[in-house]
Amino acid sequence: MSTGELHHLDYLKENELMEMDTFIHRIDSTEVIYQPRRKRAKLIGKYLMGDLLGEGSYGKVKEMLDSETLCRRAVKILKKKKLRRIPNGEANVKKEIQLLRRLQHKNVIQLVDYCVCGMQEMLDSVPEKRFPVFQAHGYFCQLLDGLEYLHSQGIVHKDIKPGNLLLTTDGALKISDLGVAEALHPFAEDDTCRTSQGSPAFQPPEIANGLDTFSGFKVDIWSAGVTLYNITTSLYPFEGDNIYKLFENIGKGDYTIPEECGPLLSDLLRGMLEYDPAKRFSIQNIRQHNWVRKKHPPSELPVPIPASAESRDPWRSMTVVPYLEDLHGYTEEDDDELYDGEDDIIYTQDFTVPGQVAEEDRDQGNADHSPALPKPVCVNGTDVGSLNTKAKAERRSSSSSNPSRKGVSTASKIRKLSTCKQQ
Amino acid sequence: MPFPFGKSQKSPAEIVRSLKENVAYLEKVDAGDKEVSKNLASLKEILSGTGDKEPHTEAVAQLAQELYNTDLLISLIANLQRIDFEGKKDVVHLFSNIVRRQIGTRTPTVEYICAHTQILFMLLKGYESAEMALNCGMMLRECLRHEPLARTVLFSEDFYCFFRFVELSTFDIASDAFASFKDLLTRHKIMCADFLENNYDKVFTEYEKLLHSDNYVTKRQSLKLLGELLLDRHNFSVMTKYISRAENLKLMMNMLRDNSRNIQFEAFHVFKVFVANPNKTQPVLDILLKNQTKLMEFLSHFQTDRSEDEQFCDEKNYLIKQIRDLKRPVAPEEA
């Protein structure tokens, strides 16, 4: 199970992206033509690449494994070509990275962090499109903590919505996507902002009405209010056939709260969706509100994190394992051997059969390649992989007992782990 | 008190009463007692259940009520020293669990402690006794999560004990005290800002002593916390006040040249606020101007091996530029 394992967000540089392009291409063709189940290992620096986790307008997100720490991570791969098509794309990304560097809070995504699922994806996975109250309450309290931290650091997020809230397998919420966030000048007296590029349905009246200046923090409060409204009712307080209609409706400020919300939640929503930003709740007001302070009994079953769309894996387990197997020449038949096998030495040896990657590379995806060659010595030092990163991995591992093997450091750690497990 | 039945058949009220008596007995004999540990274990069972058995709401409510009625929490903390190791852990568990207890929007134990604030100060003084300092620290921090309790401690005279506790020679106790100290000053932002603003002189006079501490850990931790406090927007007016004073700038400039690189680095993050301030006071400006060339020279060679830390390099270059561009205002003073 993947609970508690980390999967991190990182950024790659342009030259690594280029490699990525060629890599994806090559793998796809081998998979399609020769062996659908085979996954080709690919190391970038110390990272072993896993499956695609998702795609966005900027590029894609892939899972990867840190071969030194064995931490689960995610890499956001940004394509310059795609970025150029987005207004301020490159600048926003640079700004986001810069902001993330200085932030550290349990409810704010970090440059190196983990998450498995977006809140929007979770909402979409159930027919009700909303959370039971106690679950919504748990997330909302974490959103408050994260937001309070961002504001304490002088950062206005400007795009709070379920789509930008990520969740970990252990239920922690992380505010992400600071692409349109604004860092206030450290000596600015207040939180006056002039621009906002957030998602229309979550924008407050002062922005819908096109005011020149407005309180940044109160924008986030409003958006958090729309978010709370949405995750408890599945609805939006304001709608419109197009953005003009939508902004017109927001600008008027008339909305209704479904009765099912009850008086307490309705009161909180009204405080957060207050038309006048000056009268709108502050984070302090929200914290002291009885709906927030109240203990909500878990009356219904919580919405679970849905199975990943790609692999339909309900546990969201690591996708790098097949790549690891490829890296160390582990094939299906090894499984039988493993379960028949007597001692852990055979297991670990099999798991890290050296030389096979190179063979596989020559003989694309040879499935019935005999795994049994038991405890082989490294017969084949040739590294067919074209990546210089592999060479790097080799160099790093040269202190180990078998210097010519790729990713030996991972292998040896896995060996240690597996021996522990079996004892 | 003898037990004719198995312990599971005793009601929470009975266990609480028995424990209360046994604790009172502890006081007299001044030695560990098995009965106390046994009672504590049973209470813990009621509160958190055993194995797959969930705790019984009814029994928990009864237990809590009995705890308030008998003031058992107070006697437990007062006699914590005499309770054995496992028993101490059970007390912490019992205490933390009961403090978290919620009925709707109410937290009855918090209300109880609000009415019996001596509990907070007993826990605070617990740092003075090595055998129970860490247990008390955990219970205290559990209380500090609740604003009314944190406020009681923060705005009390006893809060200033922390300036002594964080320098205690036992490392783990000092660290624990620092964690509580930090919680008090940062957790409830609005209240903390209000406290620092209204007690500025007293707090920062004490705080400065921490920055001068001979204890490296104290010095480094307190400098780091100072940076965090000043750069938190909630503390904007405290920050403005702090960076208006020339003696604070002098202190940071000296710390920039500390023997420890880590201290230097933390000092840099406070020093930068003085320089970036668009409304520098005259005394601060004077010091910066007097040292203009020296500072530029110093900063250009400051921790150059951190070149991979882009943000640090950017900030350093920004400071160098700011210092270079410093100009004496129209009415100049001494050279």
Side-chain angles (χ1 to χ4, degrees), chain A residues 98 101-102 104 148-149 151-155 184-191 217 264 284 288 290-295, chain B residues 102-107 147 187 189-191 231-234 236 239 243 273-274 276-279 309-311 314 318:
Chain A
Q98 210 178 8
R101 273 221 176 90
R102 52 180 252 224
Q104 202 189 358
E148 181 179 64
Y149 173 74
H151 290 180
S152 81
Q153 299 302 303
I155 293 172
L184 300 169
H185 187 276
F187 288 93
E189 292 274 345
D190 56 30
D191 57 335
F217 295 153
L264 218 46
Q284 174 92 337
Q288 286 164 350
N290 275 343
W291 187 82
V292 173
R293 293 180 52 226
K294 195 179 162 191
K295 184 176 171 184
Chain B
Q102 244 191 309
I103 307 169
T105 56
R106 285 184 57 225
T107 38
E147 187 172 329
R187 187 179 269 276
K189 305 275 186 196
I190 309 276
M191 177 186 83
L231 291 173
D232 188 321
R233 277 196 73 90
H234 292 94
F236 192 78
M239 183 262 284
I243 60 169
V273 192
F274 286 93
N277 182 5
N279 309 307
D309 185 344
E310 273 177 57
Q311 201 192 341
D314 287 352
Y318 173 78

Side-chain angles (χ1 to χ4, degrees), chain B residues 91-295:
Chain B
V91 171
V92 174
H93 186 269
L94 171 80
F95 186 90
S96 307
N97 192 311
I98 211 80
V99 169
R100 284 181 189 220
R101 184 160 172 266
Q102 244 191 309
I103 307 169
T105 56
R106 285 184 57 225
T107 38
T109 312
V110 173
E111 290 165 20
Y112 171 78
I113 299 177
C114 275
H116 300 80
T117 50
Q118 71 264 42
I119 292 180
L120 295 169
F121 299 106
M122 286 162 82
L123 292 174
L124 188 142
K125 296 283 181 189
Y127 279 118
E128 282 169 349
S129 124
E131 311 91 84
M132 52 186 242
L134 299 183
N135 305 98
C136 288
M138 280 173 84
M139 291 189 273
L140 182 61
R141 272 194 304 285
E142 193 60 50
C143 296
L144 299 183
R145 296 170 70 237
H146 301 272
E147 187 172 329
L149 303 184
R151 177 181 296 276
T152 307
V153 178
L154 190 58
F155 284 86
S156 73
E157 213 31 54
D158 280 349
F159 167 73
Y160 296 90
C161 293
F162 273 107
F163 289 100
R164 180 160 50 84
F165 296 155
V166 298
E167 278 206 274
L168 287 171
S169 55
T170 320
F171 176 72
D172 48 353
I173 298 179
S175 302
D176 193 281
F178 195 87
S180 304
F181 179 66
K182 186 176 173 182
D183 263 12
L184 275 164
L185 289 177
T186 55
R187 187 179 269 276
H188 308 282
K189 305 275 186 196
I190 309 276
M191 177 186 83
C192 298
D194 174 48
F195 169 74
L196 290 174
E197 244 179 284
N198 287 307
N199 299 276
Y200 182 92
D201 289 321
K202 186 164 183 195
V203 174
F204 282 92
T205 311
E206 290 299 318
Y207 207 106
E208 198 178 316
K209 292 178 196 158
L210 297 184
L211 299 174
H212 282 118
S213 171
D214 296 330
N215 183 330
Y216 167 74
V217 180
T218 309
K219 189 169 175 175
R220 182 175 167 189
Q221 277 183 321
S222 52
L223 183 56
K224 186 160 190 282
L225 177 59
L226 176 67
E228 284 172 34
L229 288 173
L230 296 182
L231 291 173
D232 188 321
R233 277 196 73 90
H234 292 94
N235 298 325
F236 192 78
S237 61
V238 173
M239 183 262 284
T240 321
K241 202 160 179 179
Y242 190 86
I243 60 169
S244 69
R245 310 225 165 146
E247 61 273 21
N248 294 332
L249 173 61
K250 276 190 219 160
L251 175 60
M252 286 309 135
M253 283 168 64
N254 284 330
M255 288 179 111
L256 278 176
R257 295 184 306 162
D258 194 278
N259 289 332
S260 150
R261 283 174 45 81
N262 290 316
I263 301 261
Q264 293 172 6
F265 188 64
E266 297 299 344
F268 175 84
H269 290 296
V270 180
F271 173 73
K272 71 184 182 192
V273 192
F274 286 93
V275 182
N277 182 5
N279 309 307
K280 297 178 190 63
T281 57
Q282 195 57 46
V284 166
L285 190 60
D286 287 341
I287 294 180
L288 290 175
L289 279 169
K290 210 164 166 183
N291 298 283
Q292 197 170 20
T293 32
K294 269 191 262 170
L295 275 171

